[in-house]
């Protein structure tokens, strides 16, 4: 059983964009269509004016932690509907799916209310848990940080503690 007044959302990358949608944002698919170079698949559908059905808001979400969201469908106008308090984290240097960091900077500038905003001097994948030696060998692109030498282990000690603290403050009245 879930206490309906203590539902929080955590999302990273596309999961963060999903979090915004669940909090009421209607994605701006026309904005994405303007960037689409493809003539097949989803780009062709968007160019033809075909868009996915309107997403459903989840009113149970009382707070959220949004981490380095894919910025493409997010605008100042569609973000204005978000009334749920949230903490916002973004990478300074971006990476696959979020661009060079300027898109998440644009999103941060257009956020409604006064969310707690954190800019991490690293790339997108720094938000993933530190990699084991095996994972680093298998998928080096998600385990190699920008800039080189970024302390992912140290960052996660601080990041994880800040996220847990935020959720405790928002959902449990600061109780642990």
């Amino acid at each position: 059983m879930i206490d309906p007044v203590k539902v929080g959302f955590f999302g990273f990358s596309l999961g963060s964009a999903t979090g915004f949608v669940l909090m009421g944002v209607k994605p701006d698919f026309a904005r994405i269509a303007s960037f689409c170079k493809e003539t097949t698949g989803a780009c062709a559908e968007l160019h033809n004016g075909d868009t996915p059905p309107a997403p459903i808001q989840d009113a149970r979400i009382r707070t959220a932690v949004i981490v380095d969201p894919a910025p493409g469908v997010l605008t100042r106008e569609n973000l204005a509907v978000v009334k749920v308090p949230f903490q916002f984290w973004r990478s300074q240097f971006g990476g696959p799916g979020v661009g060079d960091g300027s898109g998440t900077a644009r999103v941060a500038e257009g956020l409604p209310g006064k969310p707690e905003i954190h800019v991490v001097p690293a790339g997108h994948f720094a938000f993933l848990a530190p990699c084991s030696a095996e994972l680093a060998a298998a998928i080096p692109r998600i385990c190699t940080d920008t800039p080189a030498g970024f302390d992912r282990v140290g960052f996660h000690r601080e990041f994880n503690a800040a996220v847990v603290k935020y959720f405790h403050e928002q959902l449990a009245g600061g109780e642990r």
Side-chain angles (χ1 to χ4, degrees):
M1 168 128 27
I2 296 175
D3 184 341
V5 298
K6 293 186 178 183
V7 175
F9 178 91
F10 178 94
F12 166 66
S13 197
L14 286 174
S16 284
T18 300
F20 275 134
V21 168
L22 290 171
M23 292 188 291
V25 169
K26 305 286 188 254
D28 185 346
F29 291 111
R31 186 171 194 287
I32 291 292
S34 71
F35 296 123
C36 268
K37 306 277 188 262
E38 300 293 320
T39 57
T40 60
C43 283
E45 291 174 7
L46 291 173
H47 286 301
N48 290 334
D50 298 332
T51 58
I56 297 171
Q57 182 176 357
D58 189 337
R60 297 173 300 171
I61 296 174
R62 301 287 190 243
T63 193
V65 174
I66 302 295
V67 181
D68 227 19
V73 297
L74 304 172
T75 65
R76 180 182 304 272
E77 293 74 26
N78 66 12
L79 288 166
V81 303
V82 177
K83 304 298 183 223
V84 174
F86 61 94
Q87 186 182 65
F88 187 83
W89 294 77
R90 73 174 195 84
S91 63
Q92 181 178 351
F93 303 117
V98 297
D100 63 4
S102 63
T104 55
R106 176 188 56 78
V107 170
E109 290 168 8
L111 293 174
K114 303 235 185 280
E116 184 181 316
I117 298 174
H118 301 266
V119 181
V120 177
H124 184 62
F125 292 129
F127 291 105
L128 296 177
C131 295
S132 66
E134 295 81 17
L135 184 58
I139 314 173
R141 71 182 180 91
I142 68 169
C143 298
T144 304
D145 288 311
T146 302
F150 177 77
D151 181 5
R152 193 184 292 198
V153 172
F155 165 67
H156 272 272
R157 271 192 301 273
E158 295 172 19
F159 172 62
N160 297 349
V163 168
V164 168
K165 179 179 183 237
Y166 178 79
F167 278 128
H168 276 289
E169 289 171 356
Q170 293 294 315
L171 299 173
E175 301 169 18
R176 287 193 180 243

